[in-house]
Amino acid sequence: MTRDPTSPAPTPDTLAPPHPVIPAWVGDVIAAVLIVAVAFAPLPGPEFRPDGWAQLALVVAPAALLPFRRRWPVSVLLVCLALYGVAAWIGLLSPGIGLGVAIAMFGVANRSTRRRTVIIGAITVVIVFVFSIPAAVGSVFDPRVFQFVFAVAFAAAAGDGARSRRAYIAAITERAERAEQTREAEARRRVTEERLRLARDLHDAVAHQIAVISLNAGVASSALPGHPERAAAALGTIRGAARTVLGEIGGLLAMLRADDPDDGVDAPQVGLERLPDLLDQFRSTGLDVQVRIEGGIDQATGAVGIVAYRVIQEALTNVHKHGAEHRAHVLIDVGTAALRVVVTNPVHARSARGGAGTGVGLIGLRERVGSVRGSVHAGPAPGGWRLSAILPLTKEGAP
């Protein structure tokens, strides 16, 4: 089984199963169990053990407050600090209350900015240190005082680290999603451009030759009874046009079926060097084409020459299908900065009002001219119809 080339490459995160999410209440239960266990633990020293139900309730009270720290983190921290101050004032340094303060500090840091965490953490550390002094034995530098200070500071740092990691994961996830969306949009854009290019190539390969075949079929059918030589010439033109369109369609199909787009197979591309052959084809069908060239036509090479050829081909095809009097005039003006192509012809009154044609050819023509940063205008003009295209020139003859 092959993978869609437009889909993102698999990564270890996408291949591995997602980690199970631990419910929030599990952490609350663990914190409550630790606080209650410490309250009943046989710790050394009377200042660590609660005496009586009042002190025991004071020690285990943070276990009931901590589940609310996600909604009111600062308020829960303040209440825990108040409980710690009351316990320290009566000479009780139970690790249970200290653990509650540390967990509440972690909750504040986990839901605040780093600046706010530093400020609240420093104030909390100072308050814990000051509240611990009345219960200190011997000196304010008693290690039993600093153990709660260090616990609160560590909780603040751990909470800030957890928040930073969560923000980092959210940022890289957002970047990955944005990159995926950009990759999908780019793939859709390339598919759309390729589809439009194939539609233009198919129109260029088929529309002109089919018009030639249709018109010569009409000439042959009308000339067969009295002018067999004209019918034979028209049939010869039909044969040549059919051979040409089959060859161009074969080239397009070969390009579509190629495994490697760079293997040299490409759609047929012709430029202004083939203009005499194009004019001969139209003249052989009875179209009187007058051409005037100003400037050196050999300067229009590359993409500009190809687009100029297609402009003339499309314009003369429309003249053949919708024009009147079977005549047209082509002007090719090659300047220093741009190439101008103007095709004029008389039209019937209905065609002059825009009642003929589907406009598909002109849409493709505008797309081709736009690809070389040019402009094209088509519409009624005095005495008929006028199509004008301006194609900028560069040193290489391409944009």
Side-chain angles (χ1 to χ4, degrees), residues 234-246:
L235 291 175
T237 304
I238 291 174
R239 186 184 304 111
R243 189 183 305 112
T244 301
V245 72
L246 287 176

Side-chain angles (χ1 to χ4, degrees), residues 12 31 63 107 114 139-140 146 163 193 236 242 245 261 279 294 298-299 309 329 331 337 387:
R114 176 162 297 175
S139 173
V140 295
F146 283 95
R163 180 197 56 78
E193 289 181 353
V245 72
L279 297 177
E294 298 180 358
D298 55 345
Q299 299 181 27
Y309 179 91
H329 183 270
L331 170 64
L387 187 146

Side-chain angles (χ1 to χ4, degrees), residues 12 27 74 96 107 118 163 259 273 322 338 348 357 376-378 390-391 397:
V74 177
V118 171
R163 180 197 56 78
D259 294 333
E273 69 277 358
H322 311 300
H348 300 289
V376 60
H377 302 280
I390 299 178
L391 311 175

Side-chain angles (χ1 to χ4, degrees), residues 66-110:
L66 291 179
F68 301 98
R69 71 187 185 279
R70 296 179 182 85
R71 187 170 184 181
W72 301 292
V74 177
S75 299
V76 171
L77 176 62
L78 292 176
V79 174
C80 289
L81 283 175
L83 294 175
Y84 183 84
V86 172
W89 184 260
I90 64 177
L92 181 63
L93 291 178
S94 174
I97 302 182
L99 182 60
V101 174
I103 295 176
M105 184 67 240
F106 179 90
V108 172
N110 194 29

Side-chain angles (χ1 to χ4, degrees), residues 162-217:
R163 180 197 56 78
S164 300
R165 181 178 181 276
R166 188 171 62 252
Y168 172 75
I169 293 176
I172 62 175
T173 302
E174 181 184 359
R175 285 197 297 268
E177 292 176 352
R178 188 163 54 246
E180 178 65 19
Q181 294 173 357
T182 303
R183 187 161 45 242
E184 292 177 356
E186 178 67 14
R188 288 194 297 269
R189 184 187 64 81
R190 290 187 178 184
V191 169
T192 301
E193 289 181 353
E194 185 67 12
R195 179 174 57 82
L196 293 176
R197 188 182 69 85
L198 290 175
R200 290 194 299 266
D201 290 342
L202 185 61
H203 179 272
D204 294 338
V206 175
H208 164 61
Q209 302 298 339
I210 293 300
V212 171
I213 291 174
S214 175
L215 292 171
N216 280 275

